[in-house]
Amino acid sequence: MINKTETNTIETNIKEIIKTEQKENNAVHLLPWVTAVAMFIQSLDGTILNTSLPSIARDMAYSPTQMHSVIVTYTLTLAMFIPLSGWLADKFGTRTMFMIAVGLFVTGSLFCALSVDLTTFNLARVVQAIGASMMVPVARLAILYQYPKKELLKTMNFITIFGLLGMVVGPSLGGFLSDNFSWHWIFLVNVPIGIIGISMAYKIMPNFKHAVGRFDFRGLIYFSLALIFITMVLELIGRGRMHIMLIMGLLFLSGLLSVFYFIHYKRTEKPIIDLRLLNIRTLKIGLTGSLITRLGIGGLPLLLPLMLQTSFGYSASVSGLLLLPSALANVAIKPFMVRIIKFMGYRNVLISNTIMLGVILIVLGFVEKDTPLGYYIVLMVFYGIFTSIQMSAMNTITLSDLDQNTASGGNTMLVIMQQLSVSFGVSVASLVLSLFQSGMFEMNTKHAFQYTFITLAIFTIFSSITFSRLSKTDGEEYTD
C-alpha cells in the first residue's frame, strides 16, 4: 500500500516534471526570437555605419576615404574568425558561445562609441567583428539542433525577416542619429538590444554540445589566411583600386594557402572545415548555386544608385530610396514563403526564380533617363519578392540533408559562402563596369551600365543550371 505521504511526493514530482516540460516547450517556441535578435542587431550594424562615416570622419579630423579602413578591418576579422564558430559552439555549448559572442559585440560597440581616433576605432571594430563572426552562426546552429526538418523552413523564414528589417531600418536610422544627436549613438543602440539578446539566451537557448576533436590550429591558419587574402582582393577591386601586381600577389598567396589547407585536411581526422561534407549533394548544389546567383544579384545595390546618379542625374537621396521598395517587398512576401515552396517544390522555385531575377536585371539595363519613377518602383518590388524567395529557398535546401554530426560544419560553410558572396557580388559588379568603361570597349556611361546589367543577368540565369541538378523530391521534409 502507498501511504498518503508517498502519494503527495509522487504528485509533487509529477507536477515538477510537467512544469519542466512546459518550460522547455516555451523555450523551444521562443528560441527563434533569440536568433532573430542576433540577425537584427548584426544587419542593423552592417547598414547603419555607412551613412554615418562622413560624420565620424569630420569629428575625428580624417578624410572619408581614410575611414574605409574600419569597414575593411571588420570584414577581414570576420573572415578570420567565422571558421571558428562551429568548433567553439560544439565544444563549449551553443548558449555559452552565443552569450560570449553577443557580449563581445556589445563591448566592441561601446568601445566604438568611445573611440577618439582611427586606431582605437579600428581596434574596437576588431572586438565587434569577433563577436559578430559567431553571433548569427551559433544562433542558427542552435536552431538546426533544436528543430525537426519539417519546421526548419518556417523557422528560418521567421528569423530572416528580422535581418531584412535591420537592413531597411539601418541607413535611415544612421542618418537620423548622426544628424539629430551624434554618430556615437549608432553604436550605443546596440548595447540595450545586445543585453536583451543575452538575457533571452540565458533563459531560452539550450546549451547544445557535441564531441569535437583536438583544435585544428594549423588548419585555421591556412584557411583563415586564404580567406583574408581573397577578401583583400575583393575589397581592392570593389573600391576600384586596380593594383595588378598587388592583386596577383594576394591571389597567389590565397591559392597557395588553399592548396596547403587541402593537403592538411586530407591528413587530418577532424579539420576545422571538413571538405568531405561537399559529398552531401544538396549542400554542394546549394553552396555552388548560391555563390553564382549572388555574383549576379549582389551588385545591384551598388549599380542602381550609381547609374541613377552618374548617368541620369538623380540625387543620392532619391536613388537610395528606390531600393526601399525592394526591401519592403522582401519582408512582405516572407509569410507566404512556405506555401510557395510547398506548392512548387525547391527545384522549380530555384530554377524559375533565377531566370526571373535575370530578366529583371536585363530590363534594368534598358531603362532611360526619362523612365518614370513608378517603373523603377514596380521593378524593385518584383526584384524584392523574387530575391526573398530565392534566398530562403537557397539557404534551407543547402542545410536540408545535414544531421546532428554534420550540422555544425555545413552551417559554417554556408556562413563563409554568404560572407564572401557579399564582397564577391560588389567586386564583380565593379570590375565588369570598369572593364566596359575602359579603353578596351570605349563605351559611354549609359552603355557601360547597360552591358554590366546584362552580364550580371547572365551570371544569375546561369545558376539555374546548377539548381537543375536537384531532384523533385529534395527538401520535401521541409514542407510536409
Side-chain angles (χ1 to χ4, degrees):
M1 295 290 291
I2 300 175
N3 60 39
K4 188 174 181 181
T5 303
E6 290 174 330
T7 301
N8 291 336
T9 303
I10 292 170
E11 288 178 353
T12 302
N13 289 337
I14 291 172
K15 288 178 181 178
E16 288 298 322
I17 291 170
I18 291 171
K19 283 182 181 178
T20 302
E21 288 179 348
Q22 288 175 340
K23 186 177 179 181
E24 289 176 351
N25 288 332
N26 289 335
V28 168
H29 293 305
L30 292 173
L31 181 58
W33 284 96
V34 180
T35 312
V37 170
M39 289 285 287
F40 178 78
I41 194 174
Q42 189 174 42
S43 62
L44 179 70
D45 182 77
T47 55
I48 199 172
L49 176 62
N50 293 334
T51 51
S52 303
L53 276 180
S55 300
I56 301 173
R58 284 194 303 270
D59 193 50
M60 291 187 177
Y62 294 104
S63 68
T65 54
Q66 288 176 294
M67 298 305 298
H68 193 81
S69 64
V70 301
I71 296 175
V72 176
T73 299
Y74 187 88
T75 305
L76 295 182
T77 306
L78 282 179
M80 184 170 185
F81 284 93
I82 283 175
L84 265 173
S85 59
W87 189 90
L88 289 172
D90 283 342
K91 175 71 174 177
F92 300 105
T94 48
R95 181 177 63 231
T96 301
M97 288 315 303
F98 180 80
M99 292 173 65
I100 290 172
V102 179
L104 285 170
F105 186 83
V106 168
T107 302
S109 298
L110 185 60
F111 285 163
C112 284
L114 297 174
S115 299
V116 293
D117 56 29
L118 198 53
T119 302
T120 54
F121 198 9
N122 275 312
L123 289 173
R125 289 285 282 175
V126 168
V127 176
Q128 197 183 33
I130 293 173
S133 69
M134 297 183 288
M135 198 161 57
V136 172
V138 172
R140 191 162 63 185
L141 187 59
I143 294 289
L144 288 175
Y145 285 147
Q146 179 70 62
Y147 283 88
K149 289 184 178 180
K150 64 181 180 180
E151 296 181 31
L152 208 53
L153 175 60
K154 181 175 67 175
T155 306
M156 291 289 193
N157 198 44
F158 169 79
I159 293 165
T160 307
I161 291 175
F162 287 85
L164 294 169
L165 284 173
M167 293 172 65
V168 173
V169 171
S172 302
L173 181 61
F176 174 79
L177 291 174
S178 296
D179 292 341
N180 295 281
F181 298 94
S182 73
W183 62 266
H184 305 82
W185 285 97
I186 70 171
F187 297 106
L188 292 174
V189 293
N190 293 333
V191 176
I193 301 173
I195 291 172
I196 291 170
I198 292 172
S199 175
M200 290 175 67
Y202 179 75
K203 295 176 182 178
I204 296 167
M205 183 177 282
N207 203 34
F208 294 113
K209 294 182 182 180
H210 286 78
V212 292
R214 192 175 70 175
F215 180 63
D216 182 19
F217 183 75
R218 182 183 293 183
L220 176 68
I221 295 298
Y222 289 154
F223 194 87
S224 293
L225 285 178
L227 278 183
I228 286 172
F229 288 139
I230 194 67
T231 302
M232 290 173 69
V233 169
L234 296 172
E235 285 289 338
L236 287 170
I237 295 173
R239 293 165 63 189
R241 297 189 175 184
M242 304 300 290
H243 303 294
I244 300 300
M245 293 305 295
L246 177 58
I247 287 173
M248 294 301 293
L250 291 171
L251 283 174
F252 173 77
L253 288 173
S254 181
L256 186 64
L257 287 163
S258 298
V259 171
F260 287 165
Y261 180 78
F262 184 77
I263 295 170
H264 168 76
Y265 130 81
K266 297 288 282 186
R267 298 172 178 173
T268 306
E269 184 180 353
K270 289 193 174 182
I272 191 77
I273 299 294
D274 191 353
L275 300 180
R276 287 179 285 266
L277 293 178
L278 294 176
N279 292 326
I280 301 173
R281 188 174 55 85
T282 48
L283 178 68
K284 185 176 181 179
I285 292 172
L287 290 175
T288 306
S290 296
L291 180 60
I292 299 172
T293 301
R294 292 166 195 265
L295 286 179
I297 64 177
L300 185 126
L302 166 76
L303 286 176
L304 185 61
L306 195 60
M307 180 181 72
L308 292 173
Q309 292 176 62
T310 60
S311 189
F312 298 160
Y314 282 92
S315 67
S317 57
V318 171
S319 59
L321 283 172
L322 284 176
L323 292 174
L324 187 59
S326 168
L328 295 175
N330 210 315
V331 173
I333 195 65
K334 288 295 181 186
F336 308 98
M337 197 72 65
V338 177
R339 277 180 279 179
I340 292 170
I341 295 177
K342 186 175 183 178
F343 177 73
M344 295 182 65
Y346 274 95
R347 185 176 185 272
N348 292 333
V349 163
L350 288 167
I351 292 173
S352 60
N353 259 271
T354 49
I355 293 172
M356 292 306 299
L357 284 167
V359 170
I360 291 172
L361 288 173
I362 291 172
V363 174
L364 281 169
F366 286 92
V367 295
E368 301 287 343
K369 187 175 182 178
D370 56 354
T371 299
L373 285 177
Y375 187 79
Y376 290 107
I377 292 171
V378 171
L379 279 175
M380 295 313 294
V381 166
F382 279 108
Y383 176 81
I385 290 171
F386 290 126
T387 301
S388 184
I389 296 171
Q390 188 76 13
M391 294 304 175
S392 290
M394 287 192 305
N395 291 342
T396 49
I397 197 62
T398 302
L399 304 172
S400 63
D401 288 331
L402 300 181
D403 56 25
Q404 294 287 312
N405 296 320
T406 57
S408 177
N411 180 58
T412 302
M413 282 185 169
L414 179 59
V415 174
I416 291 169
M417 188 281 301
Q418 289 174 329
Q419 183 61 39
L420 277 180
S421 65
V422 171
S423 299
F424 265 121
V426 173
S427 299
V428 167
S430 300
L431 180 61
V432 173
L433 180 62
S434 63
L435 283 175
F436 283 128
Q437 289 179 325
S438 68
M440 186 186 304
F441 293 94
E442 296 183 351
M443 291 183 181
N444 60 33
T445 304
K446 175 188 170 182
H447 288 123
F449 276 106
Q450 185 179 93
Y451 281 96
T452 299
F453 274 111
I454 293 171
T455 303
L456 297 183
I458 292 170
F459 275 124
T460 307
I461 294 171
F462 183 71
S463 65
S464 65
I465 299 173
T466 303
F467 292 123
S468 67
R469 294 165 53 200
L470 292 168
S471 70
K472 291 183 179 179
T473 58
D474 282 332
E476 274 189 349
E477 63 269 35
Y478 278 176
T479 54
D480 288 341

